[in-house]
Amino acid sequence: MISANLSAIFYLISGVLFILALRGLSSPETSRQGNFFGILGMLIAIIVTFLSIGNFSTGFLYLLIFLLIGGSIGAFIAFKIPMTAMPELVAGFHSLVGLAAVFVAISAFLNPEIFKLGSTGSIKIASLIEMSLGASIGAITFTGSIIAFLKLRGIMSGAPITFIGQHLINLLLGLSIIVIIFYLCKTQSENLFWSIIIISFLVGILLIIPIGGADMPVVISMLNSYSGWAAAGIGFTLENTALIITGALVGSSGAILSYIMCKGMNRSFFSVILGGFGASEQSSASKTKDQRPVKSGNADDAAFLMKNASSVIIVPGYGMAVAQAQHALREMVDTLKKNDIKVSYAIHPVAGRMPGHMNVLLAEANVPYDEVFELDEINNDFANADVAFVIGANDVTNPVAKTDPQSPIYGMPVLDVEKCKSVLFVKRSLSPGYAGIDNELFYRENTLMLFDDAKKMTEEITKNL
């Protein structure tokens, strides 16, 4: 067993490593180093935790048991889950973080002597507030993440599920949690503590079900932030420096990322985090699929247009992820470069199902970082490009976002691919994107639809090149 002072020092070192990890993960060039710092920091935190609660042999035994169980499950998931399922995997992991915060809060409330919070019935007020907030946010994170997982997995409809008075109910439930925490601090009633957790579980469900699929990337980021604040709250209860630092890092970075994404989608930050205000006001007429003729082609047509182009802009989306076409895309781009054709990649902030989804896939295919551009950096270049090759990016290329006030995505900044001389759109069918609306781009004169699996079509184009 190590002393409390030594534990505090190691927890501080662990916290510093988490800060370095976050800094490293901010850039693709340093992401491997960031991952290493994060792994090392977590390893130190786990070892110190077990060595702080018993003798060395017992602590080390528990450490090995839980590392083997958790590590085996984590390794199995990491090897088995494809990149296309990464968003729902992240949502699932967020739910576990929230549930862990709830369990720790319950343990601390039922066994305050072990956690040095006082005795049963006389827990310190500050500790009661901390564990109540940690448990509440953790419970909201747990059920909210489960709903997000079900929506992303397709088990539950991605369309907003709304009902009369939903925002008033959410407000009343939120106020009731605050009132119950107040009375819990006065009475320390076990029933009140359980009431906080049960109501919070309900709030998590009611907050996420009204949010539609188009906003799901923001939801993932938002739940990430919630899980961080839950961990920080429990960290104060346990007086654990590493947990406080980690929770604050995750909570604040998740909140900042959610704000940036809301800005990129022209969404109100507060309306999203409070459960999709305005979701029920959107017209269903904008979701009606338009039956109009489209121009379709094949790989030979696409190769001909590309061979005669001087510049091509690649726009990857979720369709590329589903087909695992990033490596085939890289081969096609290499062939274009050999023909002295300028190629660049345009990434929308919310392309795919979570922040950075496309960037990770392109990095997996060893696409050079200096060829990948964000929306603001490349949007003006479409007007001067010969060909835009859209591979599954639906909602983020829809011109309706700029023209139809009744559309669910109206006002969201989109990639101006329609301004290219020619647009090649790879898609299996004319089915709408995750926002559930038809893409006006399909019917433009300069658009050629390539109906096929993204990977297969890209490989065929490469052969024709």
Side-chain angles (χ1 to χ4, degrees), residues 219-269:
V219 173
I220 295 295
S221 177
M222 177 187 72
L223 291 170
N224 178 50
S225 178
Y226 286 178
S227 68
W229 297 124
I234 296 301
F236 281 107
T237 300
L238 304 180
E239 297 182 354
N240 187 309
T241 309
L243 201 53
I244 295 171
I245 293 175
T246 307
L249 284 173
V250 174
S252 56
S253 60
I256 292 170
L257 180 58
S258 299
Y259 174 77
I260 292 172
M261 292 182 67
C262 283
K263 187 177 179 181
M265 298 172 67
N266 197 32
R267 290 286 193 266
S268 167
F269 177 68

Side-chain angles (χ1 to χ4, degrees), residues 215-328:
D215 293 323
M216 202 49 60
V218 182
V219 173
I220 295 295
S221 177
M222 177 187 72
L223 291 170
N224 178 50
S225 178
Y226 286 178
S227 68
W229 297 124
I234 296 301
F236 281 107
T237 300
L238 304 180
E239 297 182 354
N240 187 309
T241 309
L243 201 53
I244 295 171
I245 293 175
T246 307
L249 284 173
V250 174
S252 56
S253 60
I256 292 170
L257 180 58
S258 299
Y259 174 77
I260 292 172
M261 292 182 67
C262 283
K263 187 177 179 181
M265 298 172 67
N266 197 32
R267 290 286 193 266
S268 167
F269 177 68
F270 289 104
S271 71
V272 173
I273 66 172
L274 293 177
F277 270 93
S280 61
E281 300 169 4
Q282 291 163 357
S283 171
S284 59
S286 62
K287 299 183 181 181
T288 303
K289 188 175 179 180
D290 201 348
Q291 299 294 335
R292 285 185 283 168
V294 297
K295 291 196 299 183
S296 62
N298 54 33
D300 189 40
D301 299 323
F304 176 80
L305 286 171
M306 287 189 180
K307 276 189 286 190
N308 290 282
S310 59
S311 62
V312 175
I313 299 178
I314 311 290
V315 183
Y318 189 64
M320 182 190 77
V322 171
Q324 289 288 287
Q326 61 269 28
H327 297 284

